[in-house]
């Protein structure tokens, strides 16, 4: 392992895949002074980017993209083959969704490497930024079929909602490669960031990413389980977290109880880690438990809603506030809100939802079990129960008197512990949070 800090140099970079990670990477590297081309097979997405429209909601990303384009350091294309030939670094930021038996599906990354391999210049460094299991650097190298091209693993740790901040102010940059010169060259791309840069072997770099996400998911499942205990014994999880957090070995970060974790990373990455371990002969029982506790958490929220309905779920109307997997993103992938909505819908409930980033009538298969409204108040109109599923700040400021008047029932399930219980009760509503006495 090496930690290095060098002077910045400008490099020619291609970023393959312009989704949450790729677009942030492309814009941020351009911001750091590099010459960047973003490549995507989604022609509509590239067209929007060329028009200056952002296909995703991400704080500060529009300014960064505009800055890069205006400076002539950032452009977008669908023509990967015609572009990569003069690029020193080619970042792979394509999806690695959950495949069979929980393993990561590497087909997107293999396809990108296979297609672009013959068109790379000698001495190109192919940088795996997608989250990939141990051994993937070798898989990519095999698809490239190029002895004169190096592969490095450079996992990304950004969080949706603060992606730009996280990319430009990272806790660490991890680079794994068997080719030390390629790793050092990749490190140079980040040298103007005031961050520790860690150079290691590919297996360790790939494991660092999965272990980090698995640990964060473990913290969330742990505090959700503690919240369940709090409810059973009459303790308040907020005070418990504060009390635990004074212990510097524990800290307070990521100990926020909620409706279960989700999003495009934790669900697939925890299962992939279980599978990586199993393939290597280790039964990762702890992590399996973490996943199981999360599944139970969705059921716990559904149970709270069921109790709030004061009758069968069948035929009841449940209002959800929030559909994205967390606030400050428009990402619906594996959202806890949609997981709960599906379970409610299967039980025969009508689910009506409002989310500031989801317009009514949007065609999206993941929204099949939900009727989307244009306002938070519209969603609660005639509802038997309201459940807060995403911690959008604006939900704090909705007039609770109007909510109470609009609802036909009188129960609020606060899946994010976002609302003030006293205010909710003062409006004549029953309040039930997560682990709150
Ligand atoms: P995404 O779905 O938002 O974007 C992927 C993009 O790749 C899409 O625009 C798609 O059209 C494009 N693409 C697919 N195949 C391509 C090809 N052959 N050539 C060019 N473009 C292609 O995905 P994402 O959320 O940005 O995630 C990408 C990777 O980064 C995944 O491995 C993910 O696990 C990892 N990651 C994601 C996050 C996150 O918060 N989203 C954080 C860290 C790491």
């Amino acid at each position: 392992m090496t930690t290095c800090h060098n002077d910045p140099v400008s490099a020619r970079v291609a970023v393959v895949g312009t989704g949450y990670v790729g677009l942030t990477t492309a814009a941020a590297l351009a911001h750091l002074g590099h010459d960047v081309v973003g490549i995507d097979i989604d022609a509509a997405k590239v067209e929007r980017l060329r028009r200056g429209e952002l296909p995703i909601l991400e704080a500060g990303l529009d300014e960064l993209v505009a800055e890069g384009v205006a400076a002539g350091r950032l452009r977008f294309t669908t023509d990967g083959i015609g572009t990569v030939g003069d690029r020193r670094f080619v970042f792979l930021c394509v999806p690695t969704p959950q495949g069979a038996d929980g393993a990561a599906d590497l087909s997107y990354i293999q396809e990108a490497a296979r297609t672009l391999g013959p068109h790379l210049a000698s001495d190109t460094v192919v940088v795996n930024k997608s989250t990939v299991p141990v051994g993937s650097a070798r898989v990519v190298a095999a698809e490239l079929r190029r002895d004169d091209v190096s592969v490095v693993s450079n996992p990304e740790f950004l969080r949706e909602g603060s992606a730009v901040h996280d990319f430009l102010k990272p806790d660490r940059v991890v680079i794994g490669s068997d080719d030390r010169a390629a790793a050092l060259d990749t490190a140079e791309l980040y040298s103007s960031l005031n961050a520790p840069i860690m150079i290691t072997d590919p297996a360790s770099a790939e494991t660092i990413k999965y272990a980090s996400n698995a640990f964060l998911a473990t913290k969330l499942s742990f505090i959700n389980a503690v919240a369940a205990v709090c409810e059973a014994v009459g303790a308040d999880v907020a005070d418990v977290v504060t009390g635990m957090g004074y212990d510097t070995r524990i800290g307070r970060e990521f100990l926020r109880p909620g409706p279960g974790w989700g999003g495009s990373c934790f669900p697939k990455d925890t299962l992939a880690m279980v599978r990586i371990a199993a393939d290597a002969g280790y039964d990762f029982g702890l992590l399996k438990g973490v996943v199981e506790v999360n599944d139970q958490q969705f059921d716990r929220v559904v149970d709270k809603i069921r109790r709030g309905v004061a009758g069968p779920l069948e035929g009841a109307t449940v209002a959800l506030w929030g559909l994205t997997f967390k606030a400050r993103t428009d990402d619906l992938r594996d959202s806890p809100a949609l997981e709960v909505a599906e379970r409610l819908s299967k039980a025969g409930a009508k689910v009506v939802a409002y989310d500031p980033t989801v317009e009514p009538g949007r065609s999206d298969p993941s929204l099949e079990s939900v009727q989307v409204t244009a306002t938070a108040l519209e969603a609660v109109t005639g509802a038997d129960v309201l459940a807060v599923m995403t911690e959008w700040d604006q939900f704090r400021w909705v007039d609770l008197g109007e909510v109470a008047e609009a609802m036909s029932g009188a129960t609020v399930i606060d899946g994010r512990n976002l609302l003030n219980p006293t205010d909710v009760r003062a409006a004549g509503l029953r309040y039930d949070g997560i682990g709150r006495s």
Side-chain angles (χ1 to χ4, degrees):
M1 195 272 271
T2 311
T3 303
C4 45
H5 293 278
N6 296 314
D7 291 331
V9 284
S10 175
R12 293 169 80 78
V13 176
V15 175
V16 182
T18 57
Y20 288 88
V21 167
L23 188 55
T24 307
T25 300
L29 288 176
H31 177 72
L32 295 180
H34 304 298
D35 177 80
V36 185
V37 184
I39 299 164
D40 207 296
I41 49 171
D42 183 338
K45 189 178 273 191
V46 168
E47 211 31 64
R48 287 185 69 181
L49 286 166
R50 282 179 165 168
R51 283 200 303 267
E53 286 174 27
L54 239 64
I56 54 170
L57 174 75
E58 195 55 67
L61 190 54
D62 43 359
E63 286 97 329
L64 217 62
V65 169
E67 174 201 274
V69 170
R73 286 195 303 270
L74 179 60
R75 63 188 172 89
F76 300 98
T77 183
T78 51
D79 181 17
I81 288 173
T83 302
V84 291
D86 71 347
R87 301 282 123 183
R88 177 78 213 291
F89 298 91
V90 175
F91 280 72
L92 301 180
C93 302
V94 297
T96 47
Q98 192 179 311
D101 303 329
D105 172 0
L106 293 182
S107 59
Y108 291 90
I109 214 158
Q110 287 175 293
E111 167 70 18
R114 204 179 307 130
T115 309
L116 299 176
H119 308 279
L120 300 172
S122 271
D123 292 332
T124 300
V125 180
V126 174
V127 186
N128 261 351
K129 201 168 247 317
S130 298
T131 303
V132 287
V134 175
S136 298
R138 275 196 300 280
V139 171
V140 169
E143 294 290 351
L144 290 170
R145 295 165 185 259
R146 294 283 300 264
D147 292 341
D148 56 342
V149 165
S150 305
V151 179
V152 312
S153 173
N154 171 216
E156 181 51 55
F157 299 95
L158 65 77
R159 295 162 296 177
E160 286 180 25
S162 54
V164 170
H165 170 274
D166 294 348
F167 194 100
L168 293 173
K169 293 192 187 330
D171 293 332
R172 76 301 208 186
V173 174
V174 173
I175 298 168
S177 183
D178 293 325
D179 180 338
R180 192 166 171 78
L184 286 168
D185 286 351
T186 308
E188 291 266 344
L189 292 173
Y190 298 99
S191 59
S192 59
L193 299 179
N194 186 21
I197 299 179
M198 178 180 169
I199 293 182
T200 181
D201 60 274
S204 299
E206 289 156 351
T207 305
I208 287 166
K209 174 61 191 175
Y210 279 108
S212 300
N213 273 2
F215 186 68
L216 292 171
T218 302
K219 288 183 94 171
L220 291 176
S221 276
F222 180 83
I223 206 60
N224 281 338
V226 169
V229 174
C230 287
E231 287 175 15
V233 302
D236 188 319
V237 74
D239 285 348
V240 172
V241 169
T242 302
M244 286 168 66
Y246 278 118
D247 186 328
T248 50
R249 295 168 304 174
I250 299 172
R252 276 168 226 198
E253 287 294 315
F254 238 66
L255 289 177
R256 281 194 66 150
W261 38 266
S264 69
C265 293
F266 285 3
K268 75 175 177 66
D269 291 350
T270 43
L271 288 177
M273 182 82 176
V274 166
R275 177 62 194 270
I276 290 164
D279 287 349
Y282 177 68
D283 180 9
F284 207 151
L286 173 65
L287 196 52
K288 285 182 187 167
V290 166
V291 173
E292 196 182 317
V293 165
N294 197 47
D295 195 61
Q296 289 165 2
Q297 191 68 4
F298 300 140
D299 280 339
R300 286 178 56 76
V301 173
V302 171
D303 283 344
K304 279 173 182 285
I305 292 170
R306 184 179 284 115
R307 286 197 296 276
V309 165
L313 268 177
E314 182 148 26
T317 300
V318 179
L320 302 184
W321 276 359
L323 287 170
T324 53
F325 82 96
K326 64 175 183 179
R328 292 171 291 283
T329 178
D330 57 355
D331 200 345
L332 293 170
R333 291 177 288 182
D334 278 323
S335 166
L338 292 175
E339 189 66 51
V340 166
E342 201 182 312
R343 290 172 198 216
L344 290 170
S345 178
K346 271 194 187 133
K350 177 180 168 196
V351 183
V352 184
Y354 167 73
D355 186 284
T357 68
V358 183
E359 70 285 5
R362 169 161 150 188
S363 105
D364 184 329
S366 68
L367 293 170
E368 250 165 29
S369 50
V370 181
Q371 182 191 316
V372 178
T373 64
T375 67
L377 212 53
E378 205 185 312
V380 299
T381 303
D384 294 292
V385 175
L386 161 64
V388 179
M389 296 302 297
T390 312
E391 72 282 23
W392 288 107
D393 216 32
Q394 67 185 74
F395 296 148
R396 290 177 209 261
W397 318 120
V398 182
D399 186 322
L400 289 166
E402 287 184 25
V403 170
E405 217 166 278
M407 286 178 69
S408 62
T411 301
V412 177
I413 308 300
D414 189 357
R416 298 285 183 170
N417 291 350
L418 183 77
L419 306 177
N420 182 332
T422 310
D423 293 348
V424 175
R425 289 180 189 124
L429 296 162
R430 202 176 74 80
Y431 178 90
D432 187 7
I434 307 288
R436 273 179 151 177
S437 53

